[in-house]
Amino acid sequence: MLLEPTLRVSAMRIHRDRNIVYEANFHSGVNIVRGQNSTGKSTILDFIFYGLGGEDVPWKNEALLCDHVTLEVFLNGIPISLRRQVNDSIRNPMSIFWGPLNEAFKSSVSDWETYPYQRSTSKESFSQVLFRSLGLPELRGEGAANITMHQLLRLMYSDQRTPHDEIFRAEAFESDLNRETIGNYLCGVYSADLYEAQIELKQVESDLTRAVSDLRNIFAVLGKSGQGGATTLEFLQAEAAAVNEEMAVNESHLQELRKSNTVDQKAPAAQRLAKLRKELNDAQQNFSKAQSRLAELELEDKDSELFLREIDRRLVALDDSQKARSYLGSLRFQFCPCCLSATSTPSDGKSCHLCRNDLSEAPGDAQILRMKNELEIQKRESTALMKSRVNAINENRQNLESFKINLKNLEREFFKSGQTWSTPHEIEIETTSRKLGELSQRLKQISEYLKLANVLNELQQKRGSLEHKRSTLQEKIELLLSENEDVKKNAKHAIAEELLYLLKNELPRQDEFISATAVDWSFGKNRVAVNGATQFSESSMVILRHSFHVALLIASAKEKFFRFPRFLMIDGIEDGGQEQQRAFKFQKLIVDRCESLENEYQIIYATSEIEPSLNTDDYTVGKSSTTDDKTLSII
């Protein structure tokens, strides 16, 4: 059976120029890379670690002569191909082909998709793609940095260079919190719902902090300017109505005064009307453009909503298609649907029993995985564009109101000027005209305050909505954390049970292992304890470290809730000055314990002294390397 997530390496090729300097096929279960010391066994495991997305590999000179490494891996049973350039640079990108290796080598360069190590606003990282393909939720560590494939692999690769008393592959400048987060994550403690709720809560709190800060700053400025509470929508709308009413009275009075003036002022009137006409035309154009732009943005926003719904529908359809393939893939026809003749089963088992064409290794599933990846990228980009468009819509609505007020003022002035024109008529005409100017200016000022009041109103509504959302998310997170405590206890029990079994059944050399009744560990402190003790003989420390990783793998292969991808690499299995008999016993114990598992898993370990009964094609991988015939065939 296949539990998700499950990662399995099925083939690897290492290239130099156009030559293949190493090639091997791997199988489910136990894979043993064997050979004499200093012949390149660790280098092979390092290449697998690097090809899967690992970093900080201390390449040997022979390895740096190679150009790139290519892996065929099965992610939840679906084959894809991975390729990375080999050099002494850091954070190299990864190229992905959505299909098996034999098809990848026949394909053109354009069929490979290249992803960087680190995400950007325009491109996903290869860790994001691999996480999605494995069905793993993204995880953020300390400082909001996203956890990468490299971080997960540090718990899936028990290498030779790391001190024997540490759980994680050694890395400089790493915090206890980061290790604790990764360890708990792989043990299934962080659910996808909890992770998404925590991420959403961080975003909501950030938005809420920004909204509160904006409100505080605006009110501080208003307080210094003496505006105080005179910026509410209700107050400003009432004041605008009062100013308009006063302007109407003064305009009526001014018109009466001008009608009483009989001096011919047609020429100045025509000039004034011409100027007003131009200003009015410009104002009408600005208002029309703003209306058109707003309508365009709102139409694009609706179109984006429909597009996102279509993407979600297609993602659901792809999932349904994949399920249908899994249910109907093995359907066989007894009779041909065309000629009704009886069908026969092909002898080689690799051809279609109807059309006789060769069957590839789940290419349909690989294409579904590729299409899901492309749809997720489109969804992320469209969501970002939609958010930017909403901001543009809000800004255009505010500008439209300002254009509207300005247009109405010009229309009123143009209409007034067209109806009556006369020279200033005594002091009363000048006073009335000046008053109208003051009122018009006040109306413009009110329109600006209205824009500010709208902003304040939106911010206050947004603050209330965010506070409610924060409260809801906090309640949800508390509930999920409570549920995750049960998962954490179950994971700890499952690992401890396997670890005690391995320690008690290895060759009896360490008294604490023989009498072990309790084991404990801390991912953060990077230590494993047996009966409260953490320090033993060097050879026993090696056994303890490797036993913990094997226990973690076995527990994950038994319990569905683990996120550990049922994949493990061990190097230096006989390190620490172990006697041969103890190393042989430990190898046999691993194989016997793992072969009782019903679900798919994979262990790849390297040894210079293989237990004799395991030196068969069922377990070994590649050639047995010697000082005269090393793992990398570099001439």
Side-chain angles (χ1 to χ4, degrees):
M1 292 178 61
L2 181 71
L3 299 180
E4 294 186 3
T6 293
L7 164 66
R8 175 167 64 87
V9 176
S10 56
M12 178 170 72
R13 291 184 186 179
I14 303 172
H15 298 257
R16 183 190 183 194
D17 298 326
R18 296 186 178 181
N19 300 318
I20 298 175
V21 298
Y22 181 84
E23 182 175 15
N25 293 321
F26 299 83
H27 48 263
S28 296
V30 178
N31 297 257
I32 305 173
V33 179
R34 77 276 191 217
Q36 296 176 351
N37 287 329
S38 302
T39 58
K41 301 183 302 298
S42 297
T43 300
I44 296 305
L45 268 62
D46 283 344
F47 268 115
I48 297 174
F49 171 76
Y50 176 73
L52 291 173
E55 279 292 298
D56 302 325
V57 179
W59 294 117
K60 297 182 177 65
N61 292 332
E62 293 84 352
L64 285 174
L65 294 174
C66 302
D67 294 328
H68 62 267
V69 57
T70 307
L71 297 176
E72 179 183 82
V73 298
F74 279 74
L75 306 182
N76 295 341
I78 300 175
I80 69 170
S81 301
L82 312 176
R83 182 176 64 205
R84 290 188 83 186
Q85 297 294 321
V86 178
N87 51 54
D88 54 6
S89 300
I90 61 172
R91 299 189 171 186
N92 286 317
M94 176 186 291
S95 297
I96 300 177
F97 177 82
W98 300 97
L101 205 57
N102 59 344
E103 293 183 13
F105 284 125
K106 297 175 186 176
S107 302
S108 64
V109 176
S110 61
D111 292 328
W112 290 76
E113 298 175 0
T114 300
Y115 295 89
Y117 179 89
Q118 193 168 7
R119 68 173 66 190
S120 65
T121 54
S122 60
K123 190 75 171 179
E124 286 189 317
S125 67
F126 63 73
S127 290
Q128 287 178 275
V129 176
L130 294 179
F131 272 47
R132 186 186 304 127
S133 300
L134 284 165
L136 290 170
E138 290 185 47
L139 176 68
R140 290 185 185 175
E142 193 173 21
N146 284 78
I147 298 299
T148 62
M149 277 298 294
H150 165 71
Q151 297 289 357
L152 300 191
L153 288 166
R154 291 180 53 231
L155 194 55
M156 297 155 60
Y157 181 20
S158 182
D159 69 337
Q160 215 170 12
R161 302 176 187 87
T162 298
H164 301 318
D165 60 346
E166 295 184 1
I167 298 174
F168 280 81
R169 181 179 182 270
E171 183 165 292
F173 311 113
E174 189 191 29
S175 68
D176 294 358
L177 177 60
N178 224 38
R179 284 192 297 266
E180 190 72 28
T181 301
I182 295 167
N184 286 337
Y185 174 82
L186 288 176
C187 288
V189 174
Y190 290 114
S191 68
D193 289 341
L194 175 60
Y195 171 78
E196 290 171 3
Q198 288 174 327
I199 295 301
E200 188 176 2
L201 178 61
K202 286 183 180 179
Q203 185 60 51
V204 167
E205 288 179 336
S206 175
D207 292 343
L208 181 58
T209 300
R210 192 179 302 111
V212 171
S213 176
D214 289 344
L215 282 169
R216 187 181 295 114
N217 291 336
I218 291 173
F219 281 122
V221 171
L222 291 175
K224 291 179 181 179
S225 65
Q227 295 299 320
T231 52
T232 63
L233 280 174
E234 294 80 3
F235 176 86
L236 291 171
Q237 288 170 349
E239 187 173 5
V243 171
N244 278 317
E245 185 177 349
E246 188 175 356
M247 285 185 70
V249 172
N250 280 274
E251 285 168 358
S252 176
H253 181 55
L254 183 61
Q255 287 178 9
E256 292 297 327
L257 290 172
R258 286 173 175 170
K259 286 178 182 178
S260 65
N261 188 0
T262 57
V263 179
D264 186 8
Q265 294 291 330
K266 291 184 179 180
Q271 294 175 0
R272 173 63 177 163
L273 283 173
K275 182 180 179 182
L276 281 173
R277 186 180 294 109
K278 184 180 184 306
E279 292 177 354
L280 184 59
N281 285 337
D282 291 341
Q284 287 173 334
Q285 288 180 6
N286 290 335
F287 181 75
S288 179
K289 287 179 181 178
Q291 274 188 317
S292 299
R293 180 55 181 160
L294 180 60
E296 180 183 350
L297 287 170
E298 289 176 339
L299 183 61
E300 289 176 359
D301 187 58
K302 293 295 182 184
D303 188 60
S304 294
E305 287 182 4
L306 294 174
F307 181 68
L308 287 171
R309 289 178 191 169
E310 179 62 15
I311 288 179
D312 288 334
R313 188 192 68 77
R314 291 189 181 184
L315 285 170
V316 172
L318 285 173
D319 287 335
D320 293 341
S321 175
Q322 194 166 19
K323 290 178 183 177
R325 282 175 54 81
S326 66
Y327 292 140
L328 303 178
S330 58
L331 183 65
R332 292 186 172 276
F333 291 90
Q334 291 182 334
F335 298 94
C336 174
C338 181
C339 66
L340 303 181
S341 298
T343 61
S344 59
T345 302
S347 59
D348 58 1
K350 297 181 179 179
S351 305
C352 176
H353 71 288
L354 281 179
C355 65
R356 304 300 182 182
N357 285 330
D358 290 340
L359 295 174
S360 60
E361 293 186 71
D365 287 339
Q367 290 304 313
I368 288 175
L369 197 61
R370 178 185 63 78
M371 289 188 284
K372 287 173 70 175
N373 180 64
E374 292 174 351
L375 287 172
E376 289 288 351
I377 292 173
Q378 291 180 20
K379 182 178 179 180
R380 180 175 63 86
E381 293 174 346
S382 296
T383 302
L385 288 173
M386 191 172 178
K387 185 176 181 180
S388 175
R389 194 177 295 114
V390 168
N391 292 335
I393 288 173
N394 291 334
E395 183 178 351
N396 271 267
R397 282 176 178 162
Q398 294 175 5
N399 291 335
L400 187 64
E401 185 64 24
S402 177
F403 290 145
K404 184 177 179 180
I405 292 173
N406 185 46
L407 180 60
K408 285 188 176 297
N409 288 337
L410 287 170
E411 286 176 343
R412 186 186 296 109
E413 192 171 354
F414 182 82
F415 177 80
K416 176 190 66 177
S417 299
Q419 291 295 316
T420 308
W421 180 264
S422 60
T423 57
H425 199 290
E426 307 289 345
I427 297 297
E428 190 175 1
I429 293 180
E430 293 180 3
T431 303
T432 305
S433 297
R434 191 180 301 111
K435 180 64 175 177
L436 279 172
E438 292 172 355
L439 291 171
S440 177
Q441 186 62 33
R442 177 57 182 159
L443 200 59
K444 290 180 181 179
Q445 188 179 39
I446 290 173
S447 71
E448 293 300 318
Y449 285 151
L450 275 170
K451 289 172 64 176
L452 179 60
N454 281 321
V455 171
L456 281 171
N457 190 49
E458 288 177 6
L459 282 173
Q460 288 169 334
Q461 290 179 352
K462 184 178 180 180
R463 180 185 62 184
S465 174
L466 288 170
E467 286 173 342
H468 175 71
K469 196 168 187 179
R470 179 180 63 179
S471 176
T472 303
L473 286 170
Q474 286 172 337
E475 292 175 2
K476 181 179 180 180
I477 288 170
E478 287 178 7
L479 177 63
L480 291 172
L481 283 173
S482 176
E483 295 174 354
N484 277 343
E485 277 302 311
D486 294 334
V487 177
K488 191 173 185 178
K489 290 177 183 177
N490 292 336
K492 196 147 193 171
H493 174 76
I495 297 171
E497 188 176 47
E498 293 301 328
L499 181 53
L500 282 170
Y501 178 88
L502 292 171
L503 294 178
K504 284 177 171 293
N505 286 276
E506 69 110 1
L507 201 66
R509 290 292 183 269
Q510 186 74 43
D511 292 340
E512 289 87 348
F513 294 178
I514 298 170
S515 61
T517 57
V519 290
D520 196 9
W521 60 90
S522 167
F523 289 119
K525 299 301 181 184
N526 213 14
R527 293 288 186 273
V528 180
V530 180
N531 292 345
T534 59
Q535 294 299 318
F536 310 99
S537 68
E538 195 69 16
S539 59
S540 293
M541 292 300 296
V542 173
I543 291 291
L544 178 59
R545 181 184 180 219
H546 293 332
S547 294
F548 176 80
H549 286 89
V550 173
L552 178 55
L553 173 83
I554 294 174
S556 72
K558 288 183 175 182
E559 301 291 347
K560 185 177 181 180
F561 61 80
F562 278 89
R563 289 199 189 90
F564 194 82
R566 287 86 190 177
F567 174 83
L568 177 66
M569 292 195 299
I570 299 176
D571 193 14
I573 205 164
E574 66 287 312
D575 282 357
Q578 283 189 52
E579 58 183 294
Q580 186 184 70
Q581 186 181 0
R582 191 179 190 186
F584 284 174
K585 173 69 174 176
F586 187 57
Q587 292 180 51
K588 196 69 171 61
L589 178 62
I590 292 174
V591 173
D592 291 343
R593 191 63 171 167
C594 288
E595 286 190 337
S596 66
L597 297 173
E598 296 179 356
N599 298 315
E600 184 173 322
Y601 69 94
Q602 187 178 52
I603 294 180
I604 303 173
Y605 76 79
T607 179
S608 59
E609 294 184 276
I610 186 171
E611 201 277 337
S613 67
L614 303 180
N615 196 10
T616 67
D617 292 341
D618 292 336
Y619 301 108
T620 59
V621 173
K623 63 187 178 183
S624 179
S625 56
T626 65
T627 53
D628 295 326
D629 185 14
K630 296 185 177 183
T631 54
L632 299 180
S633 301
I634 296 178
I635 303 175

